[in-house]
Amino acid sequence: MKKIIKSFNNLIQRTILKVQNKTNNIFNISSFNKYLISFIGLLFIYLFYLLIPLLYNKTWLQAKIERKLLNEFAVNLSTSADISYHILPAPHFLIKDSKIIVDDGEKKKSIAEIKDFKVFLNQGNFFYKEKIDIKKLVINDANFSLLRRDLKLLSVFKSKKFSEKKIKINNTNIFFKNNLGEIISIVQIDKSVVFFDDKKLLNSLNLNGDVYNVPFNLNIQYQNDGARYGKTHFSSKPLKLNFFNKSIEKKKLISGENNIIFLNSRINTKYSVKDKLIIFKSDNSRVVNSQVSYNGELSINPFDLNLNIELENHRISKLFNINQNLIEFIKSGLPFNNNISIKTFIIVKSNEKKEIFHNAKIIFNIVNGKINLDNTTFINDKIGLVELSNSNLFLENNNLILNTDILFEVKNSDNLFSFLNTNKKSRKEIKNILINLNYDFLRNEIEFNNVKINNKVVSDQFLNVIDGFNDNNSNNMVNTKLLINKLFSIYEG
């Protein structure tokens, strides 16, 4: 009996071994395939995990997002019911057609309409919806509308710590309006990032955009540590402009210094701010190779600038070589804003013996959207002076044109004729010359409208000859002297 049982057991074992060997031959899986199957399985599990937020109740989700945005980012967002969930490029909720709401006295108002508002999520734990955690915010295609009194909202950037989670803003317009609702300027934002830098312990804003079709980059940093420390860097490649500023605020008094690098000039300024009035003065500044000193006052609301400048040992002839970038800036329309008032007084002294003018007084005014250079004066100590009046700098058909009266007041006609090498037959008594002209800065052309000598209207022949000055590109000192002497020869006196 024992032999029979033993033989049966051996048979069973041999049969099982055969089946096991056949099974192993059929399902012989390589290590690579095992890892691949495991990876695919885990991937499906991960995808199912990422889809859990689809199960959240939309009404609950809408209220939850609004509370978290207000508590963590100080953003009062009025969301729409159009909320969808996406897992690419990272898990996020997409909110269509939402608004940012702020308190405006006794009522609330909208300052922004946002087409796409994305709330990106940390993937820590989707099983517990109450623990949902925001990773970052992305705003796309928004229109901000800010009145002057709304700019006080920007003070939050200085006074409160931002969230370490980034807010990104792309393809957005900011409409700045006066208190009557009229648009003052439009800033287009290509991309911007706002966040609290936990390494440097400061609020940070990085912005790329353009204003009046002039591209610019802006970086602002603020640290609130008892006193408020701030740094600002503004740059614009088309204008070849860089602006750096650092400041400190204590007890409502702001003091600081800034540096402006424009073309080959460097302007350094120290300033103080109190009650919206900025008082400033220069600190070792240079314009090209000339030493410059200045001082002034600036009121921000409304924008009102009073500026006094003194240039030492500066070639006055260079003042007539207006840089193309400056022309483009004026063409942008910014200086013609009705809400800007500028009064600039510039004194220039030259030690160059070959210079026509030895001293200059340049007055540049912007009032009610109009630019004038009235009372601007160029002085030659031996001959006399040139003074501008009834001037108007304006844009016409995309051309920058100056219309002005120019008075040549001759104090010593003998010195004038000697400078021009005028022959004795053509020398007549000249006390003053009054010309009204248009100068086109872009085409460098002059159009003479009216000419008087000694308060008398000149002849038609005189006007025909003076048209030789029209193309300013061909005017040089030799040609100018020849043409003026020809005018004196036909002047009847």
Side-chain angles (χ1 to χ4, degrees):
M1 188 69 179
K2 290 182 178 179
K3 290 181 179 180
I4 295 172
I5 294 173
K6 187 176 180 180
S7 298
F8 180 77
N9 286 336
N10 291 335
L11 178 63
I12 295 297
Q13 288 179 2
R14 287 194 299 269
T15 303
I16 292 173
L17 287 172
K18 288 181 180 179
V19 173
Q20 191 175 30
N21 290 332
K22 289 182 179 180
T23 303
N24 287 339
N25 290 332
I26 295 172
F27 297 101
N28 186 17
I29 303 174
S30 68
S31 297
F32 173 77
N33 289 335
K34 289 179 181 178
Y35 288 128
L36 180 61
I37 293 171
S38 299
F39 173 75
I40 293 173
L42 291 174
L43 179 61
F44 273 104
I45 293 173
Y46 176 60
L47 290 176
F48 283 129
Y49 173 75
L50 292 182
L51 293 173
I52 290 176
L54 284 172
L55 303 176
Y56 296 165
N57 179 273
K58 278 196 174 183
T59 303
W60 172 89
L61 181 63
Q62 183 178 355
K64 182 70 173 179
I65 291 176
E66 290 181 358
R67 286 196 303 270
K68 291 189 74 68
L69 292 177
L70 185 60
N71 294 334
E72 294 185 27
F73 299 90
V75 175
N76 188 359
L77 189 73
S78 174
T79 62
S80 68
D82 189 356
I83 302 177
S84 56
Y85 177 70
H86 304 262
I87 63 173
L88 294 177
H92 68 277
F93 291 108
L94 173 60
I95 305 171
K96 292 284 189 178
D97 302 324
S98 57
K99 296 180 180 180
I100 294 179
I101 307 298
V102 298
D103 291 325
D104 185 23
E106 298 179 354
K107 61 180 181 179
K108 296 181 181 294
K109 70 172 185 177
S110 169
I111 63 167
E113 296 181 352
I114 306 171
K115 184 177 180 180
D116 291 340
F117 193 104
K118 295 181 179 180
V119 181
F120 285 82
L121 307 175
N122 281 317
Q123 302 175 29
N125 196 337
F126 286 167
F127 292 111
Y128 299 97
K129 63 180 183 179
E130 291 294 343
K131 294 184 178 180
I132 188 173
D133 186 34
I134 296 176
K135 185 178 182 180
K136 66 178 179 181
L137 305 177
V138 177
I139 295 174
N140 293 320
D141 300 322
N143 288 320
F144 284 79
S145 181
L146 301 177
L147 300 177
R148 285 184 176 179
R149 60 178 177 268
D150 294 327
L151 296 180
K152 62 184 179 182
L153 299 173
L154 300 179
S155 62
V156 176
F157 187 80
K158 300 179 181 180
S159 60
K160 294 184 179 180
K161 176 184 173 182
F162 274 20
S163 173
E164 296 177 12
K165 303 168 184 178
K166 295 181 178 180
I167 301 177
K168 295 185 177 182
I169 304 173
N170 305 315
N171 302 323
T172 290
N173 296 316
I174 301 178
F175 298 91
F176 289 101
K177 300 180 179 181
N178 59 25
N179 292 331
L180 296 176
E182 300 169 335
I183 295 177
I184 301 174
S185 62
I186 302 174
V187 177
Q188 296 176 315
I189 299 176
D190 297 325
K191 58 182 179 179
S192 177
V193 180
V194 183
F195 68 104
F196 179 79
D197 191 329
D198 57 351
K199 294 182 179 179
K200 298 180 180 180
L201 301 178
L202 47 78
N203 289 336
S204 178
L205 166 66
N206 298 305
L207 187 152
N208 296 328
D210 65 79
V211 58
Y212 295 100
N213 296 320
V214 179
F216 70 89
N217 299 312
L218 176 65
N219 177 265
I220 302 176
Q221 297 179 338
Y222 268 102
Q223 184 178 41
N224 192 354
D225 185 18
R228 298 177 183 174
Y229 300 89
K231 291 183 179 180
T232 301
H233 178 207
F234 176 93
S235 63
S236 177
K237 287 185 178 180
L239 297 179
K240 296 182 179 180
L241 170 67
N242 273 282
F243 171 82
F244 302 89
N245 181 78
K246 59 181 180 180
S247 64
I248 180 173
E249 181 178 358
K250 290 183 178 179
K251 297 180 180 180
K252 296 183 178 181
L253 176 64
I254 302 174
S255 58
E257 58 182 274
N258 60 54
N259 311 104
I260 300 175
I261 302 174
F262 181 63
L263 301 177
N264 295 321
S265 302
R266 188 179 188 93
I267 308 297
N268 304 316
T269 308
K270 291 184 176 180
Y271 64 90
S272 63
V273 184
K274 188 174 183 180
D275 297 329
K276 298 182 180 180
L277 179 65
I278 303 173
I279 300 174
F280 58 90
K281 63 178 181 179
S282 62
D283 180 31
N284 193 28
S285 300
R286 301 193 70 83
V287 175
V288 191
N289 295 319
S290 302
Q291 190 77 22
V292 58
S293 61
Y294 55 86
N295 62 80
E297 294 183 356
L298 171 64
S299 176
I300 299 176
N301 189 11
F303 187 95
D304 188 2
L305 172 64
N306 288 292
L307 176 62
N308 301 303
I309 301 174
E310 289 189 15
L311 286 169
E312 294 288 342
N313 194 27
H314 187 80
R315 294 186 63 181
I316 294 176
S317 58
K318 287 187 175 182
L319 297 174
F320 299 97
N321 300 327
I322 299 179
N323 184 272
Q324 185 64 32
N325 292 310
L326 180 58
I327 293 176
E328 290 299 320
F329 173 69
I330 297 175
K331 283 179 60 181
S332 70
L334 181 59
F336 299 99
N337 193 304
N338 288 327
N339 297 283
I340 293 178
S341 175
I342 296 178
K343 297 178 182 178
T344 305
F345 188 88
I346 306 173
I347 296 294
V348 187
K349 297 179 181 179
S350 175
N351 295 329
E352 293 284 339
K353 294 181 179 179
K354 295 182 179 180
E355 286 283 283
I356 298 176
F357 300 107
H358 308 121
N359 298 286
K361 178 182 70 174
I362 300 172
I363 299 177
F364 182 84
N365 294 318
I366 300 179
V367 182
N368 297 325
K370 294 185 177 181
I371 302 176
N372 73 73
L373 293 92
D374 291 353
N375 299 317
T376 291
T377 306
F378 299 92
I379 300 173
N380 183 299
D381 296 332
K382 296 181 179 180
I383 298 173
L385 60 83
V386 177
E387 184 175 19
L388 275 63
S389 61
N390 300 318
S391 60
N392 182 25
L393 184 65
F394 60 93
L395 291 171
E396 184 178 82
N397 298 325
N398 206 33
N399 292 322
L400 183 62
I401 297 174
L402 172 66
N403 173 264
T404 185
D405 287 337
I406 300 179
L407 175 64
F408 296 85
E409 186 175 323
V410 182
K411 294 185 177 181
N412 191 316
S413 56
D414 290 336
N415 288 338
L416 172 63
F417 294 135
S418 176
F419 172 77
L420 296 174
N421 297 320
T422 307
N423 62 57
K424 292 184 179 180
K425 293 182 178 180
S426 300
R427 296 187 180 189
K428 305 175 180 69
E429 184 180 10
I430 304 292
K431 294 182 178 179
N432 59 72
I433 302 172
L434 179 63
I435 298 175
N436 178 270
L437 57 80
N438 287 359
Y439 175 60
D440 189 324
F441 285 91
L442 299 184
R443 293 183 293 183
N444 198 20
E445 293 180 355
I446 303 172
E447 179 184 356
F448 293 91
N449 303 315
N450 190 20
V451 180
K452 291 182 179 180
I453 298 180
N454 295 336
N455 300 320
K456 295 180 180 180
V457 178
V458 297
S459 65
D460 292 339
Q461 183 185 7
F462 190 99
L463 291 176
N464 291 333
V465 173
I466 202 173
D467 283 341
F469 283 109
N470 284 0
D471 186 3
N472 200 40
N473 294 301
S474 61
N475 291 335
N476 55 46
M477 184 56 66
V478 175
N479 291 337
T480 299
K481 286 183 177 181
L482 290 173
L483 188 55
I484 291 177
N485 284 326
K486 185 175 181 180
L487 291 170
F488 284 154
S489 67
I490 62 175
Y491 172 59
E492 298 175 353

